[in-house]
Amino acid sequence: MPGRARMARRALVRVASPAAVLFGIGMLAAFGHSPGIASQRIIPSEERTVLVGATLIDGNGGAPMAGARIVIQHGLFACVSGPAGCPSRPGDHELDLAGQWITPGLIDTHVHLPFAGPLSGLMRAQRLRFALGITTVRDAGSRSTNELLAARTLAEHATSPIPRIVVASRVEEADATRLQVPLGAPVVERLAALGVEAIKIKPPFDHEIWREEIRAARRAGIPAFGHTWAGQTEDFTRDAIAEGISGISHIMGLVLAVQPAGAKLIPPGSEDAFWQWEKALWLTIDSARVDTLFREMIAANVWLEPTLASEYHFGRPLLPPRQTEFLDAAPSLRALLLGGGPTGLRPAPVFPEAWPRQAAFVREFVRRGGIVVAGSDGLAPGIDLHEEIALIGEATGSPMIGLQAATRNAAMALNHPEVGTIVLGQVGDAVIYPRDPLETSGGTLLPNRVIKGGVFFDGDSLRAEFREEYDDRVQLAWRSRGWRLAQWSAGIIALLSVLYLPLRVFRQR
């Protein structure tokens, strides 16, 4: 990790607010009550663990390597090779992974941690992400920077069964007031000094303010990323690229940048109608403007975080029904969302035509050399990132590109090059799967083990609390059905009794 970030994190202990410290204590208590944690194998830093026989996907995009040998020591990958390399030494702990697959720990570049809700909800979401192989997330500008910084400090510990947290922050009037500095560059500079690792650009704001934010972030050596449109029709994508933005979130904003010159964009008033109107804009994109945009983005090394899962599931319920939220064999997000749940907005009528255009947009960007990263935007913890990986793979025609978007590319976007690949000297984050993760057909592949900083977590132990929770919900549902049946039966009997008495009197007459 860069020296600047290390110093900022040491300074955090001195600047964190009392509320953040209390929040951190609460999180630590929540860690301690996580089922299965006591059973995890904690590896002493000096011990060498040799992983033998797995098929390795190292995150760099090359062909999988069968029969790999990988050594983890001091929390790092100390040796990575084919079957003939990385010899064992006396005292090494060998783990036979023949027939299994290993990838870098997954990275979600775009989550929203729900700090407004109870602590238990936050912890549950993070543990579920970790149980599904996600070892690092970037919070894309949640409400409390101090709480995020405190949470990050605890999540950094390799023994904590939640993903590491990379902290991004928006720049708002409230930040300027709290930090007692003018809005714009001074806020970015203070946030960077506190340890914030990225600045998220998002309207509403003054035109000069977002330019100041991007420039200040570059001076501080941290990424600036986010939305490049304001209001509903104002596009400033090309200006943001020229100013040095690091990445752009959501392809839904880019559709404004590739409309024909002089097009009159008049959105409808209601939110439902607006999003359906946005989908229809994909049918009128200008290929010449797409070409120019791609050349500008690629020349400036601006990555794209398309959030395809949000686009694909537009208009459908965004959270899976709670009774099917997590199973022993987790289905794909699309199977969960299309299979039931609360009634929400309906899919836009143009979706069948718009989706192929959106997928082709991402495919062409990658074909030309653009970098795509995987951010879920927080649809359903953990399952959403697997869906994003699958959709990127489908859009580009390469499951490997989908996986790389959540490993090496994601690490680059987070400015954390020490994670995201399994190569010599990298942080020892990995996921061990029972079968090929490139052949999941969009489903969520449950890991056998999750490794964070050299600490091994058993997949079944990580999922135990969710399995128990599911069983409890099933029993509760059956008890509820039984009670409703009893009430219904009692009502029918009462009704028949009421009807029977007059009939009996009539017959007696």
Side-chain angles (χ1 to χ4, degrees):
M1 184 175 298
R4 181 192 302 274
R6 283 198 298 269
M7 289 187 291
R9 293 194 182 189
R10 285 197 295 269
L12 171 63
V13 176
R14 299 192 295 272
V15 302
S17 68
V21 172
L22 289 174
F23 176 79
I25 293 171
M27 285 192 72
L28 188 58
F31 288 143
H33 288 88
S34 297
I37 300 311
S39 66
Q40 305 306 332
R41 181 170 177 272
I42 309 302
I43 302 175
S45 62
E46 69 276 4
E47 180 181 342
R48 282 169 41 105
T49 298
V50 185
L51 311 180
V52 180
T55 298
L56 168 65
I57 300 176
D58 67 7
N60 281 314
M65 178 193 297
R69 291 179 65 89
I70 302 166
V71 177
I72 299 178
Q73 186 178 26
H74 302 296
L76 305 175
F77 294 115
C79 184
V80 181
S81 80
C86 298
S88 297
R89 302 174 184 172
D92 285 354
H93 173 75
E94 281 201 6
L95 185 61
D96 184 2
L97 300 179
Q100 300 178 61
W101 293 68
I102 184 169
T103 73
L106 301 180
I107 301 169
D108 192 334
T109 61
H110 194 134
V111 305
H112 291 285
L113 302 180
F115 284 110
L119 176 63
S120 59
L122 163 65
M123 293 307 304
R124 182 188 183 281
Q126 288 295 80
R127 290 196 302 271
L128 180 50
R129 287 186 174 102
F130 192 75
L132 294 178
I134 300 171
T135 54
T136 303
V137 301
R138 174 166 60 193
D139 181 86
S142 291
R143 281 170 290 237
S144 172
T145 299
N146 280 344
E147 287 179 337
L148 280 169
L149 292 172
R152 180 184 68 186
T153 298
L154 291 169
E156 280 182 336
H157 293 283
T159 55
S160 299
I162 65 171
R164 294 183 190 83
I165 300 172
V166 175
V167 178
S169 182
R170 292 175 60 180
V171 178
E172 298 177 328
E173 290 283 358
D175 298 296
T177 301
R178 177 174 56 84
L179 297 171
Q180 298 182 328
V181 295
L183 187 64
V187 176
V188 173
E189 291 161 0
R190 287 294 300 276
L191 290 172
L194 291 176
V196 167
E197 299 168 86
I199 297 298
K200 182 180 180 183
I201 308 296
K202 186 174 181 177
F205 41 62
D206 178 85
H207 283 203
E208 188 53 36
I209 293 296
W210 67 259
R211 288 185 170 89
E212 284 188 25
E213 291 179 21
I214 295 174
R215 295 167 190 160
R218 287 177 64 84
R219 290 195 298 269
I222 61 176
F225 73 101
H227 301 205
T228 55
W229 74 97
Q232 293 182 322
T233 61
E234 184 181 359
D235 166 59
F236 55 91
T237 301
R238 288 182 170 82
D239 288 343
I241 294 170
E243 291 291 350
I245 197 167
S246 300
I248 296 174
S249 300
H250 311 298
I251 58 169
M252 57 180 277
L254 292 182
V255 72
L256 298 174
V258 293
Q259 292 301 300
K264 295 186 181 300
L265 304 178
I266 305 175
S270 74
E271 184 175 4
D272 185 1
F274 170 75
W275 294 117
Q276 299 201 33
W277 172 78
E278 178 267 333
K279 280 287 185 292
L281 290 180
W282 285 97
L283 307 183
T284 58
I285 60 176
D286 184 298
S287 59
R289 291 175 71 84
V290 171
D291 177 72
T292 301
L293 176 64
F294 284 172
R295 283 192 281 106
E296 291 174 355
M297 289 180 67
I298 293 168
N301 202 33
V302 175
W303 45 262
L304 172 61
E305 181 187 74
T307 58
L308 289 181
S310 294
E311 292 295 324
Y312 187 88
H313 296 293
F314 164 77
R316 298 169 172 85
L318 293 183
L319 291 175
R322 188 156 178 79
Q323 69 271 19
T324 58
E325 189 174 61
F326 189 87
L327 308 174
D328 283 338
S332 69
L333 179 62
R334 68 191 74 173
L336 286 173
L337 298 184
L338 298 180
T343 302
L345 303 175
R346 292 300 90 203
V350 298
F351 177 81
E353 297 176 78
W355 171 251
R357 303 285 186 97
Q358 294 174 305
F361 185 88
V362 174
R363 180 170 60 252
E364 181 63 13
F365 179 68
V366 171
R367 189 190 70 79
R368 296 192 187 195
I371 298 170
V372 170
V373 305
S376 68
D377 204 13
L379 298 179
I383 300 173
D384 48 15
L385 183 66
H386 284 263
E387 176 79 343
E388 186 71 17
I389 292 169
L391 287 171
I392 292 173
E394 291 173 20
T396 60
S398 170
M400 183 67 81
I401 290 175
L403 182 61
Q404 196 172 11
T407 51
R408 189 192 70 176
N409 289 1
M412 177 277 301
L414 267 56
N415 203 25
H416 277 271
E418 72 278 7
V419 296
T421 56
I422 299 179
V423 298
L424 178 65
Q426 294 286 87
V427 171
D429 290 358
V431 189
I432 299 171
Y433 293 106
R435 55 189 176 87
D436 186 353
L438 301 179
E439 297 180 356
T440 63
S441 301
T444 301
L445 182 58
L446 304 182
N448 288 341
R449 291 181 175 88
V450 180
I451 308 173
K452 178 184 176 185
V455 177
F456 287 62
F457 294 83
D458 177 70
D460 283 337
S461 296
L462 291 171
R463 293 188 291 273
E465 66 169 302
F466 303 104
R467 222 176 268 120
E468 293 169 5
E469 183 182 275
Y470 173 74
D471 291 341
D472 290 344
R473 288 201 299 271
V474 169
Q475 292 178 17
L476 181 62
W478 277 110
R479 285 197 296 270
S480 177
R481 290 189 188 106
W483 174 243
R484 287 198 301 270
L485 179 61
Q487 289 179 311
W488 181 82
S489 300
I492 292 295
I493 292 172
L495 177 62
L496 291 175
S497 299
V498 170
L499 294 174
Y500 176 71
L501 288 175
L503 180 62
R504 184 177 180 183
V505 170
F506 176 79
R507 285 181 174 177
Q508 289 177 346
R509 290 180 179 178

